Amino acid sequence: MSYVDCFVAAVPSENKEKYIEHAKIASELFKEYGALEVVENWGDDVPEGEVTSLPLAVKAQENEVVVFSWVVWPSKEIRDAGWGAMMEDPRMSPDNNPMPFDGKRLIYGGFNTVLKV
């Protein structure tokens, strides 16, 4: 089965277009380095919880929107090699493609796919 990276972040509402441009550049590199699919989602119905929630997890501020993204890879090995290559690629440097959000509040992780229907 495939391997999936997921990302959750809080992006200032006024940075939506900057975020989309940042994501376009990153997604081209993901695909260049072996990803099968990249999906970016701008929050629309993301409720705040009392104990836990996506907004609480990323410490979203009043002027921020939660985004949820994922990248599908053929395998963890291809993902690991792809990430290594991306981190060395100057197109992903903060000078060339700055993150339009606070990266310290980005949540991410890698997952083995166990069911796909």
Side-chain angles (χ1 to χ4, degrees):
M1 288 249 176
S2 57
Y3 195 82
V4 177
D5 281 318
C6 76
F7 310 90
V8 181
V11 179
S13 299
E14 68 267 10
N15 286 355
K16 184 176 183 178
E17 292 307 316
K18 289 179 184 177
Y19 179 81
I20 292 169
E21 286 306 310
H22 171 80
K24 284 180 183 178
I25 292 168
S27 65
E28 289 171 6
L29 292 172
F30 280 124
K31 298 286 290 251
E32 183 177 322
Y33 292 119
L36 301 172
E37 180 181 41
V38 179
V39 180
E40 294 284 346
N41 302 280
W42 190 259
D44 176 58
D45 185 12
V46 186
E48 291 189 34
E50 291 182 25
V51 177
T52 189
S53 68
L54 291 169
L56 285 172
V58 294
K59 298 181 179 177
Q61 305 298 310
E62 190 173 311
N63 68 329
E64 294 178 323
V65 174
V66 175
V67 297
F68 174 61
S69 310
W70 66 86
V71 180
V72 179
W73 302 89
S75 67
K76 185 174 191 302
E77 294 75 26
I78 292 172
R79 177 264 205 165
D80 290 347
W83 268 109
M86 283 185 66
M87 293 300 103
E88 297 297 321
D89 194 307
R91 294 172 287 178
M92 279 302 291
S93 75
D95 292 336
N96 292 324
N97 191 18
M99 289 191 295
F101 56 90
D102 181 1
K104 293 177 184 171
R105 292 184 286 140
L106 171 69
I107 297 173
Y108 59 91
F111 299 83
N112 288 302
T113 302
V114 295
L115 177 66
K116 184 175 180 178
V117 294

